[in-house]
Amino acid sequence: MLRIKNYMEDVVDHILPDVLKKYPELCNCKQCISDIKALALNNLPPKYVATPMGEVYTKINELSIQFEADAIRAIIDAIDKVNKSPRHS
Ligand SMILES: [Zn+2]
């Protein structure tokens, strides 16, 4: 039985640190980073793939290239929203 996972989550996980580096003034607490990730994923179409357990991002890298531009846009939108109304206490 293969694991069904949302491949977009891997794409966002992979890209998020690079995008965040461009926003050094941004709060990087767990709440804000998680909100950014969740918001970005909500704005991206899910891409479910069946993968063996433990399959890593780089093994299916060809797939990612076409989604990275969309993911970057979604992350930047999410950063903007979280920056304007952070939920951290
Ligand atoms: Zn924060």
Side-chain angles (χ1 to χ4, degrees):
M1 179 73 180
L2 297 175
R3 189 167 59 124
I4 307 299
K5 59 178 287 183
N6 180 4
Y7 180 68
M8 268 302 180
E9 195 171 345
D10 277 8
V11 176
V12 169
D13 272 343
H14 184 75
I15 291 172
L16 190 57
D18 284 342
V19 180
L20 289 174
K21 271 187 215 148
K22 295 176 184 150
Y23 297 83
E25 76 285 3
L26 196 74
C27 174
N28 64 356
C29 75
K30 274 188 184 150
Q31 175 80 67
C32 289
I33 301 303
S34 301
D35 281 346
I36 288 165
K37 184 180 165 184
L39 275 170
L41 283 169
N42 280 339
N43 286 317
L44 287 162
K47 281 286 167 206
Y48 292 106
V49 291
T51 82
M53 293 295 278
E55 174 120 25
V56 293
Y57 176 83
T58 47
K59 285 195 183 159
I60 37 177
N61 214 9
E62 319 85 65
L63 241 187
S64 74
I65 293 159
Q66 63 192 107
F67 300 133
E68 284 191 4
D70 288 345
I72 290 168
R73 246 190 312 271
I75 291 168
I76 290 170
D77 273 6
I79 286 172
D80 196 48
K81 281 189 187 123
V82 169
N83 206 16
K84 279 177 186 150
S85 50
R87 294 199 301 144
H88 56 215
S89 47

